[in-house]
Amino acid sequence: MDAGRHPLIEVITNAEITGCEGGPGDFTVTVRKNPRYVGDDCVACGLCVDHCPQVGGNEFDMGLKARKAIYRPFPQSVPATYVIDSDACLNFMPHLDERQKRRLDKMAKFKRKIDPNYPPNILVCGHCSDACDVDAIDFDQMPEEISLDVGSILVAVGFQEFDARVLGAYGYGRLPNVVTSLELERMLNASGVTGGHVVRPSDLETPKRIVFIQCVGARGEGGRPYCSRFCCMNAVKDSMLIRQHDPVVEEITILYTDLRAFGKGFDDFVTRSKEAASAEYVRGRPAKVWHDPADDTLQVFVEDTRGHEQRRIPADLVVLSVAAAPNEGAVELAEIFGIETDAHGFIARRDPAVSAVETSREGVFVCGSAVGPQVIPDCVAQASATASRAQLYLTGHRHEEKAEPVEPMDLSGPPRVGVMVCHCGVNIAGVLDVEQLAADAAELTDVVVTSTDLFACSSTGQDELMETIKEHRLNRIVVAACTPRTHEPVFRETLARIGFNPFLLEMVNIRDQCSWVHAGTPEAAQNKARALIRMGVARARHLEPLQEGAAAMTRSALVIGGGIAGIQAATDLAVQGFPVTLVEKSNRLGGRLAEPNLMLLYPTMRPASEVLADKLRRLDASGARILLETEVENITGFVGSFEATLKGAVDEVLPVGAVILAVGADLHDPGAAFRFGELPNVVTSADLERRFVNGDDLGLGAEAPKSAAFVLCVGSREPKGFTGCSRYCCPTAIKQAMELNRRGIDTTVFYRDIRTISTGAEEMYREARGRGVLFVRVPPGHTPEIVGNGRAEAVRCYDELLDRRLEVPADLVVLSVGMRPRQPETDHFHEMLKASVGLDGFFLERHPELAPVETAVEGVLLAGTVQGPKDIVDSVAQASAAAAKAAVFLAHDQVRLDPAVAVVDPEICRGCGDCVEICQFHAPALSETAPGVFAAEINASLCKGCGTCASWCPSGAIAARHFTDRQVLAQIDAFFDEARP
Amino acid sequence: MTQQVSPSAKNAATSPTVFDPRIVVFACNWCSYAGADTAGVSRIQHQPHFRMIRVMCSGRIQPAFVFRAFEKGADGVLVSGCHFGDCHYIFGNERAVEQFAKTMNVVKLLGIEEGRLRLEWISAAEGGRFAEVINEFTDQVRALGPSPFAAEDAIAEIEAPEGGGCQHSDADSDSDAGGGGH
C-alpha cells in the first residue's frame, strides 16, 4: 500500500518485460501491459463481482475457493482495481466449447432478427459493464507496449511452489487430504477460505491427526539439492497456530531432517513450541503416504532415525512443506536482461560469497527469493540493499521536492463545519439513505452546510468541495465516505492545494465499516451512519490546525566499524555523493576478513584477501573519509543533528545526520570447555583458519595430524547462554573439513543439526559427505568428550543415528565457536544512542521483518553482525540496506516532522519521568526548567505520534495532537447524544 | 416510572423489541481499524450496534475514555490493537494491556460486569476475525442486558420481552442509573 501510494513509484501490474536495450545508467526496457479490461476509473466498489455469472478458481487461495471471472486478486491488492480473467469471462469466446458458442450465436441471430440495428459484435454477457456506475469496464482494451528509460533494474521475481505431484509417493493431487503448506496457510488465515480453521478437504471435518512432511522437493528430493530455508520455521509456526485455534486437533507430527531454525530468535521459538508440546518431532523422511480406504485415513510410512524404528503414522491430514522452485519465467527474463542463472534456474548472484544483490551484469540487481529461497528478514534487507546499489546509476537524477507555497486560508473563529456525504455510486447509497444523512447532519451544532456527491473522491467532487469551502467560509470539513486509511491522503492533498489546513478534515467511514458490512440491516446501518457522522462532527469541532514542522538535516553520515559491513555501508553512501566518515578502532580495515583471519570464502573458495582488496579499492574510490585508530567517545543529539566526539587520529566533534553501527560481533571464548587451553591440539575454528592462511602443518607441537574432529555449536544453542544459532559455523566447518580431507586427514564432524542454509552450502555439505567426511549427530544433553593425555587423541560421543557410543581418533580437535555481542562496544553505544538491545545481547532491530536494519531510534541503523550472527553475504546485504535507509534521511536538507505528535504542557508537568521510561523512541526527556524543577519535553523529531505517553501521564500534562482527550471524549459523548432508536 | 412503562408497552404491542446494546469500539489505526476495513472489503457482515473510534495506537486508549463511555451509557466497550510483536510503535500494545488491567479493576469496582469490557488483538488482515469478535461481543453484552449506567430510555425498552422478571430488574437498573448520574 505504501509503495502504491508513493508519488515516486509507478506500479505497473499485469505486465511483462519483452525487451531490454542499452547499458547501466541508460537502459530502455519494453514492457507489455496486458489488458485488465477494467479502466482506471474503477472505484473498487465490487458491484461487478455481484453481477458476474462466471466462476473461476481463486489463485490467491490456492484454488481452495472460487472467485468470479471479474475479481480483485485479494482485498489489499495494489492497484485497488478489478480485473477480468479472460480465460473465464463469457465475453472472451475462445474458451467456450462448441455447444456454448452455437448457443450464443443462435441467441445473437435471434436478437438481430427482432432488431435489425442490433450490433453485429454483441457483448455476450456484459453484466459487469451494466452494473458498473462509472463505466470502467472496457472489453476493447488491447495489450499495450510501453518503453521505459531507466538507470538500474532490480529483479525481484520471487519463487514458485515446487510441484509436489512430481513425488507421486506422497499422493499430492491424487489424495484429497494431502495438502501443501501454502494451502494450509490459506486455511489458517482468519480471513481465508475456512476462516482460520483447518479442515480435511475431503469432508470439511477438522482433522484430529496432522502430519507435516518437511523438505518435499528440497535437499535432494525431486532433483533439487538446495534447502528452502523457510519451511522448518513455517511448519513450527503452523503447528502452534493450529494448537491455539483448534483444540480438537489431537496430534501433530513434524517429520524433519534437520531443524533449521537459523534466524534471530528462531531457536527460542522452537523451544517454546517444544515446551508447549505443540508437535511431536520425528526425524525421518517418509517413503510414502498410503490411503486406507477402510476408514478414509492416511498412513505415513517413515523410518524414525532417532527412535530407530519403522513407523506407520496414522493421519487425517498430511501437509507437505513444499520447496521453493525458481519462477517459471525467470530464465526467460534473465535472457532478456542478459544476466546469468544458476544450475537450478534461479537468478545467479555475481559472487555468492560476497555479492548480496549484484547479478552478472552491471546495473541489474536482484533481491529476495529470485536468487534462491530466503526468509522474510533477509529478503527485506536485500530489497533495501538493491535500492542502495541502484542509486549508483541514478546520480544526477535525484528527485528534489518542489513545493509551491500556498497562501494559508484564514480558518480562525468559531467552527463552521461543512459535511459532505458520499454516495459512492450504490456502494453507500444502495444501503443508506444518503440525502437523509445529510439532512440529519444539517441539524448538528456548528454545521453550516451539507452536501451529497455521487463520488466525493472524483475530480468533480473535489472541485465542489473546494467551492463549498470558499463559498461558506468553512473551517472544518467532515467527509462521510470510505476509510481514512486510503482516502484521507487524497482529501488532505486537495485541501492543502487551497491552503486549507489538512488537519481540519475528519473522515467518517460509512462505506467500509457500515454499508458494506451491514447491508442486511439497512435501518440499523442508517442509525450507525448517522451516529458516526454525529461523532465525526463533534470531533471536527475540536480539531486544531497543525503546521508541519521541519528540522535541519546534516547531510552526512558516520559509520562505526571498519569490517566488511562498515566498508560496504560507507562505500554505498559515499558513491551517492554523501560525505561519510568511517571510524575504525584498530589500525586496519577489513575486520574478520582481513588477514590473517580468513582464507577462502565458501561456497566459491575465492581467497578472502582478494575479495577484501576489491572492496577496499571501491571504498578508496568512493571518497569516504577513513579514520583508523579512532574511537567514538560520545554521541549526542538525534536524527538530522547527531554530534559525535571522535578521539584518535583526529580529535574533533563531528556533526552527522545519521549513524550506522557496524561494530561487528565477538567470537565465543570456549574457556576450559572441551579441554580448550589444556590440550595444545584443541583449537577454535578461527585459529584453524589462521593456521591455514599461514601455511601451518597443523601439527601443533607434534607431527601433522592424521585425523581430526570438529565440534559444532560451541557457544551457540545453549540453554544457559546464547540460545540462538550462529548461522555461519555449519558451512564454515564443512568448508574447513573439506580442506582437511583434501590434505588426507580423516575428519569427523559432531553436529546437532546441519544448517547449511546459504547459497551453495547444502551442495557443499553433500560433496563433503561424498568425499568421506563423517558426520555424527549429537542429541541435546550429550556433549562430545575429548580423550587424551597431554594431547587430544580421540573424541568420544553418543551417535544418535547409530544409537551407540563411539570413539573416533582425533589428532586435532576444532571447536566451531559461535558469535557473541561485542563488548564493551555494545554497552557503550547502547548507552549513548539509546538503541535497544535484545535478550540475546545483540542490538534489536525495529521490526524483524519490516525494518531489519532500523532501530527504534530514528537515524540509527544497524549493519552486519551487530544485529545478530550472520555470514558475509548477509552482512553485506544488511550494510547496503542500512546505507539505503540512511540515504532516505540524507537525501533532503530537512527532516519533515509530522505535527500530529505529543506535546507537554510544562506548567502542568511535574517531572515524574514516566513518559521518558515508557517511550520506545526516546522522544521525551526531562530538563530542568528552573533550579530543582524538572519538566518533560518531547522531541518532535523522535516522536512517532502513538499517543501512549498522553494516556500514561499521571498529571495529564501531555496532549496527543490530533487525538486529544477533548477530541476523543467529544466523539464518545456524541454517540450517546441521541437516545436509543 | 409511569413514563418509562408506557413506551415499552407500546413497543411490545407493535413488535417485541430485542435489546440492541450500544457498544463503543476503540481501535488502533494500523491493525484493528484496518482489520475492520478488511471485513468491509471482503463484505463480511456483522452486527451493527457498535461505533468505532480510531486512535493511532491502542496505547492511547486511556482508562478515562472507557469510563466516559460507560458513564454516558455504553453497554459494552471493546478495546482492540495489534497482536504482540506487530505493534506499529513496538510496545504500545503492551502499555495498552497495563492500562486495560487498571481500567478493568475500576470497572469491576463500579459494579459493571466484567463481560462488558474486552481487550482483543486483531490484525489488518483479520477481517473475518474482526466480524467474529464483534458478533460474539455484541451477543455477550446483549445477554448481560443494558448497563447499570445506561440511560433510562434503554431500560424502559427491554422490559417488554423480559416479561415477569422486569419489575425487579427495572428497579435495580433504575437506582443504578440514578447513581451513575451523580
Short mmCIF file of all heavy atoms in Angstrom, two decimals, chain B residues 134-170:
data_model
loop_
_atom_site.label_atom_id
_atom_site.label_comp_id
_atom_site.label_asym_id
_atom_site.label_seq_id
_atom_site.Cartn_x
_atom_site.Cartn_y
_atom_site.Cartn_z
N ILE B 134 -16.82 -8.96 16.91
CA ILE B 134 -17.94 -8.03 17.08
C ILE B 134 -19.23 -8.81 17.36
O ILE B 134 -19.96 -8.50 18.30
CB ILE B 134 -18.10 -7.16 15.81
CG1 ILE B 134 -16.95 -6.16 15.70
CG2 ILE B 134 -19.45 -6.43 15.80
CD1 ILE B 134 -16.91 -5.10 16.77
N ASN B 135 -19.47 -9.85 16.59
CA ASN B 135 -20.70 -10.64 16.80
C ASN B 135 -20.73 -11.26 18.18
O ASN B 135 -21.72 -11.19 18.89
CB ASN B 135 -20.81 -11.73 15.74
CG ASN B 135 -21.27 -11.17 14.41
OD1 ASN B 135 -21.90 -10.10 14.38
ND2 ASN B 135 -20.96 -11.84 13.32
N GLU B 136 -19.60 -11.85 18.53
CA GLU B 136 -19.52 -12.56 19.81
C GLU B 136 -19.72 -11.57 20.96
O GLU B 136 -20.49 -11.82 21.88
CB GLU B 136 -18.12 -13.15 19.88
CG GLU B 136 -18.00 -14.46 20.55
CD GLU B 136 -16.53 -14.82 20.56
OE1 GLU B 136 -16.10 -15.37 19.54
OE2 GLU B 136 -15.84 -14.49 21.54
N PHE B 137 -19.02 -10.44 20.87
CA PHE B 137 -19.07 -9.46 21.96
C PHE B 137 -20.47 -8.83 22.04
O PHE B 137 -21.00 -8.63 23.13
CB PHE B 137 -18.00 -8.38 21.75
CG PHE B 137 -17.87 -7.43 22.90
CD1 PHE B 137 -17.53 -7.89 24.17
CD2 PHE B 137 -18.08 -6.08 22.73
CE1 PHE B 137 -17.40 -7.00 25.23
CE2 PHE B 137 -17.95 -5.19 23.78
CZ PHE B 137 -17.61 -5.65 25.05
N THR B 138 -21.07 -8.55 20.89
CA THR B 138 -22.42 -7.97 20.89
C THR B 138 -23.39 -8.94 21.58
O THR B 138 -24.19 -8.53 22.42
CB THR B 138 -22.88 -7.68 19.45
OG1 THR B 138 -21.87 -6.93 18.79
CG2 THR B 138 -24.17 -6.89 19.43
N ASP B 139 -23.29 -10.22 21.22
CA ASP B 139 -24.18 -11.20 21.84
C ASP B 139 -23.95 -11.28 23.33
O ASP B 139 -24.89 -11.38 24.13
CB ASP B 139 -23.95 -12.59 21.21
CG ASP B 139 -24.49 -12.64 19.79
OD1 ASP B 139 -25.32 -11.77 19.45
OD2 ASP B 139 -24.07 -13.53 19.02
N GLN B 140 -22.68 -11.24 23.70
CA GLN B 140 -22.33 -11.33 25.11
C GLN B 140 -22.93 -10.16 25.88
O GLN B 140 -23.53 -10.34 26.94
CB GLN B 140 -20.80 -11.33 25.24
CG GLN B 140 -20.28 -11.43 26.64
CD GLN B 140 -18.75 -11.39 26.64
OE1 GLN B 140 -18.11 -11.88 25.71
NE2 GLN B 140 -18.18 -10.80 27.66
N VAL B 141 -22.80 -8.95 25.33
CA VAL B 141 -23.32 -7.77 26.01
C VAL B 141 -24.84 -7.79 25.99
O VAL B 141 -25.50 -7.42 26.96
CB VAL B 141 -22.77 -6.48 25.36
CG1 VAL B 141 -23.40 -5.25 25.96
CG2 VAL B 141 -21.26 -6.44 25.49
N ARG B 142 -25.39 -8.28 24.91
CA ARG B 142 -26.84 -8.36 24.82
C ARG B 142 -27.37 -9.27 25.93
O ARG B 142 -28.36 -8.96 26.59
CB ARG B 142 -27.26 -8.89 23.45
CG ARG B 142 -28.78 -8.96 23.31
CD ARG B 142 -29.19 -9.43 21.93
NE ARG B 142 -29.00 -8.39 20.94
CZ ARG B 142 -28.33 -8.54 19.81
NH1 ARG B 142 -27.73 -9.70 19.56
NH2 ARG B 142 -28.22 -7.56 18.95
N ALA B 143 -26.68 -10.37 26.15
CA ALA B 143 -27.11 -11.31 27.19
C ALA B 143 -27.04 -10.66 28.56
O ALA B 143 -27.83 -10.97 29.45
CB ALA B 143 -26.23 -12.56 27.14
N LEU B 144 -26.10 -9.74 28.73
CA LEU B 144 -25.97 -9.08 30.03
C LEU B 144 -27.07 -8.02 30.22
O LEU B 144 -27.30 -7.57 31.33
CB LEU B 144 -24.60 -8.39 30.13
CG LEU B 144 -23.40 -9.32 30.32
CD1 LEU B 144 -22.11 -8.54 30.15
CD2 LEU B 144 -23.45 -9.96 31.71
N GLY B 145 -27.68 -7.62 29.14
CA GLY B 145 -28.71 -6.58 29.24
C GLY B 145 -28.10 -5.21 29.28
O GLY B 145 -26.88 -5.05 29.16
N PRO B 146 -28.93 -4.17 29.48
CA PRO B 146 -28.40 -2.81 29.47
C PRO B 146 -27.46 -2.60 30.65
O PRO B 146 -27.62 -3.22 31.70
CB PRO B 146 -29.64 -1.94 29.61
CG PRO B 146 -30.80 -2.83 29.42
CD PRO B 146 -30.37 -4.22 29.68
N SER B 147 -26.53 -1.71 30.45
CA SER B 147 -25.58 -1.41 31.51
C SER B 147 -26.31 -0.76 32.68
O SER B 147 -27.27 -0.02 32.48
CB SER B 147 -24.52 -0.46 30.97
OG SER B 147 -23.98 0.32 32.00
N PRO B 148 -25.86 -1.03 33.89
CA PRO B 148 -26.47 -0.36 35.03
C PRO B 148 -26.37 1.16 34.93
O PRO B 148 -27.14 1.86 35.58
CB PRO B 148 -25.70 -0.92 36.22
CG PRO B 148 -24.53 -1.64 35.68
CD PRO B 148 -24.86 -2.00 34.28
N PHE B 149 -25.47 1.64 34.14
CA PHE B 149 -25.32 3.08 33.99
C PHE B 149 -26.12 3.62 32.81
O PHE B 149 -26.12 4.81 32.56
CB PHE B 149 -23.84 3.44 33.77
CG PHE B 149 -23.02 3.35 35.01
CD1 PHE B 149 -22.58 2.13 35.49
CD2 PHE B 149 -22.70 4.50 35.71
CE1 PHE B 149 -21.82 2.06 36.64
CE2 PHE B 149 -21.94 4.41 36.87
CZ PHE B 149 -21.50 3.20 37.33
N ALA B 150 -26.74 2.73 32.07
CA ALA B 150 -27.38 3.16 30.83
C ALA B 150 -28.53 4.11 31.12
O ALA B 150 -29.18 4.02 32.16
CB ALA B 150 -27.89 1.96 30.06
N ALA B 151 -28.79 5.00 30.20
CA ALA B 151 -29.84 6.00 30.38
C ALA B 151 -31.19 5.31 30.45
O ALA B 151 -31.34 4.15 30.07
CB ALA B 151 -29.80 6.98 29.22
N GLU B 152 -32.17 6.04 30.89
CA GLU B 152 -33.45 5.44 31.24
C GLU B 152 -34.19 4.86 30.03
O GLU B 152 -34.86 3.86 30.14
CB GLU B 152 -34.32 6.49 31.93
CG GLU B 152 -33.71 6.89 33.24
CD GLU B 152 -34.44 8.05 33.88
OE1 GLU B 152 -35.30 8.63 33.20
OE2 GLU B 152 -34.15 8.35 35.03
N ASP B 153 -34.02 5.49 28.88
CA ASP B 153 -34.77 5.02 27.73
C ASP B 153 -34.44 3.57 27.41
O ASP B 153 -35.30 2.81 26.97
CB ASP B 153 -34.50 5.91 26.51
CG ASP B 153 -33.03 5.99 26.17
OD1 ASP B 153 -32.22 5.80 27.10
OD2 ASP B 153 -32.70 6.25 25.01
N ALA B 154 -33.22 3.19 27.64
CA ALA B 154 -32.81 1.83 27.34
C ALA B 154 -33.52 0.85 28.26
O ALA B 154 -33.97 -0.21 27.84
CB ALA B 154 -31.31 1.68 27.52
N ILE B 155 -33.60 1.23 29.50
CA ILE B 155 -34.15 0.30 30.48
C ILE B 155 -35.63 0.09 30.21
O ILE B 155 -36.14 -1.02 30.30
CB ILE B 155 -33.93 0.85 31.88
CG1 ILE B 155 -32.43 0.94 32.11
CG2 ILE B 155 -34.57 -0.02 32.92
CD1 ILE B 155 -32.01 2.12 32.90
N ALA B 156 -36.27 1.16 29.81
CA ALA B 156 -37.69 1.03 29.53
C ALA B 156 -37.90 0.02 28.41
O ALA B 156 -38.83 -0.77 28.43
CB ALA B 156 -38.24 2.38 29.13
N GLU B 157 -37.00 0.07 27.46
CA GLU B 157 -37.21 -0.71 26.26
C GLU B 157 -37.14 -2.20 26.48
O GLU B 157 -37.89 -2.95 25.87
CB GLU B 157 -36.13 -0.30 25.25
CG GLU B 157 -36.53 -0.61 23.86
CD GLU B 157 -35.56 0.00 22.90
OE1 GLU B 157 -34.40 -0.44 22.95
OE2 GLU B 157 -35.93 0.91 22.16
N ILE B 158 -36.28 -2.64 27.30
CA ILE B 158 -36.10 -4.10 27.36
C ILE B 158 -37.16 -4.79 28.19
O ILE B 158 -37.22 -6.00 28.21
CB ILE B 158 -34.71 -4.52 27.87
CG1 ILE B 158 -34.60 -4.37 29.36
CG2 ILE B 158 -33.62 -3.84 27.15
CD1 ILE B 158 -33.77 -5.50 29.92
N GLU B 159 -37.94 -4.06 28.86
CA GLU B 159 -38.93 -4.71 29.71
C GLU B 159 -39.82 -5.64 28.92
O GLU B 159 -40.13 -6.73 29.37
CB GLU B 159 -39.80 -3.66 30.39
CG GLU B 159 -39.07 -2.96 31.49
CD GLU B 159 -39.89 -1.80 31.99
OE1 GLU B 159 -41.06 -2.03 32.28
OE2 GLU B 159 -39.36 -0.69 32.01
N ALA B 160 -40.25 -5.19 27.77
CA ALA B 160 -41.27 -5.92 27.04
C ALA B 160 -40.99 -7.42 26.90
O ALA B 160 -41.76 -8.22 27.41
CB ALA B 160 -41.49 -5.27 25.70
N PRO B 161 -39.87 -7.82 26.26
CA PRO B 161 -39.68 -9.25 26.10
C PRO B 161 -39.33 -9.96 27.40
O PRO B 161 -39.50 -11.16 27.51
CB PRO B 161 -38.52 -9.34 25.10
CG PRO B 161 -37.82 -8.04 25.20
CD PRO B 161 -38.81 -7.04 25.64
N GLU B 162 -38.82 -9.23 28.36
CA GLU B 162 -38.38 -9.87 29.60
C GLU B 162 -39.56 -10.51 30.33
O GLU B 162 -39.41 -11.52 30.98
CB GLU B 162 -37.71 -8.83 30.52
CG GLU B 162 -36.37 -8.36 30.00
CD GLU B 162 -35.26 -9.34 30.28
OE1 GLU B 162 -35.13 -9.76 31.44
OE2 GLU B 162 -34.56 -9.72 29.33
N GLY B 163 -40.69 -9.87 30.33
CA GLY B 163 -41.89 -10.42 30.98
C GLY B 163 -41.84 -10.27 32.49
O GLY B 163 -41.60 -9.19 33.01
N GLY B 164 -42.01 -11.40 33.20
CA GLY B 164 -42.22 -11.36 34.65
C GLY B 164 -41.08 -10.72 35.43
O GLY B 164 -41.30 -9.98 36.37
N GLY B 165 -39.85 -11.00 35.00
CA GLY B 165 -38.72 -10.52 35.79
C GLY B 165 -38.46 -9.03 35.68
O GLY B 165 -37.61 -8.49 36.36
N CYS B 166 -39.20 -8.37 34.87
CA CYS B 166 -38.87 -6.99 34.54
C CYS B 166 -38.98 -6.06 35.73
O CYS B 166 -38.20 -5.14 35.90
CB CYS B 166 -39.72 -6.49 33.38
SG CYS B 166 -41.41 -6.16 33.86
N GLN B 167 -39.93 -6.31 36.55
CA GLN B 167 -40.16 -5.41 37.67
C GLN B 167 -38.88 -5.28 38.50
O GLN B 167 -38.41 -4.20 38.79
CB GLN B 167 -41.27 -5.98 38.56
CG GLN B 167 -41.95 -4.93 39.38
CD GLN B 167 -43.31 -4.63 38.79
OE1 GLN B 167 -44.04 -5.54 38.42
NE2 GLN B 167 -43.65 -3.36 38.67
N HIS B 168 -38.31 -6.43 38.77
CA HIS B 168 -37.13 -6.45 39.61
C HIS B 168 -35.96 -5.74 38.93
O HIS B 168 -35.36 -4.83 39.48
CB HIS B 168 -36.79 -7.90 39.92
CG HIS B 168 -35.51 -8.05 40.70
ND1 HIS B 168 -35.41 -7.66 42.01
CD2 HIS B 168 -34.30 -8.51 40.32
CE1 HIS B 168 -34.16 -7.88 42.42
NE2 HIS B 168 -33.48 -8.40 41.43
N SER B 169 -35.70 -6.17 37.70
CA SER B 169 -34.53 -5.61 37.00
C SER B 169 -34.71 -4.11 36.78
O SER B 169 -33.78 -3.33 36.85
CB SER B 169 -34.33 -6.32 35.65
OG SER B 169 -35.29 -5.86 34.74
N ASP B 170 -35.94 -3.74 36.54
CA ASP B 170 -36.21 -2.32 36.32
C ASP B 170 -35.83 -1.52 37.56
O ASP B 170 -35.12 -0.53 37.48
CB ASP B 170 -37.69 -2.15 35.98
CG ASP B 170 -38.04 -0.67 35.81
OD1 ASP B 170 -37.21 0.03 35.20
OD2 ASP B 170 -39.11 -0.27 36.27
#
